Amino acid sequence: METVTLVVDAANVVGSVPDGWWRDRRGAAERLRDRLVPVAATGLADVPGPLTVVLVVEGQARGIDSVPGVRVDSAPRSGDDRIVEVVTETPGPCVVATADRELRHRVSALGAEVVGPRAVRG
């Protein structure tokens, strides 16, 4: 069975909970990255692991390091455009975690499954 790639829209997932993330966008993205490590091993409710996890960051979160289990991809421009590129470049099934309506439509048209931020926030 092919490994599923989980592509996470960091800005959208971090921004889905008003927990003060705006004071430290980089730190919020790093905390999300760290919460995704066990997701890579165990999977999501409807998608069993292990998963390949790609966290797409943009803006002030660019440049955070990858960790074992989670590859961080710093979008040079639009995070949404980079997520579409990652889905396009990925062989095999993809699941995208975002609540962004336009992005949901774009990746669904490419055959990706979409889950909301709660699926990965833990």
Side-chain angles (χ1 to χ4, degrees):
M1 183 170 186
E2 289 182 287
T3 300
V4 173
T5 299
L6 172 64
V7 184
V8 181
D9 180 352
N12 188 268
V13 172
V14 165
S16 69
V17 176
D19 61 2
W21 60 264
W22 52 89
R23 291 188 290 270
D24 182 11
R25 294 169 194 260
R26 183 182 186 86
E30 289 172 331
R31 287 188 297 278
L32 173 60
R33 175 203 60 201
D34 295 346
R35 282 195 310 271
L36 291 170
V37 171
V39 172
T42 61
L44 300 170
D46 296 329
V47 185
L51 305 176
T52 299
V53 178
V54 180
L55 178 66
V56 177
V57 297
E58 61 185 319
Q60 294 174 358
R62 276 189 199 111
I64 67 171
D65 293 327
S66 296
V67 296
V70 180
R71 185 183 97 212
V72 178
D73 189 317
S74 293
R77 294 170 297 283
S78 159
D80 289 2
D81 289 348
R82 183 62 193 138
I83 290 166
V84 170
E85 290 171 0
V86 170
V87 169
T88 302
E89 296 165 357
T90 300
C94 281
V95 175
V96 177
T98 187
D100 181 295
R101 283 192 186 121
E102 181 183 341
L103 180 58
R104 291 172 77 95
H105 291 298
R106 290 173 69 189
V107 297
S108 292
L110 296 170
E113 182 182 337
V114 180
V115 295
R118 286 187 190 150
V120 296
R121 281 204 63 100

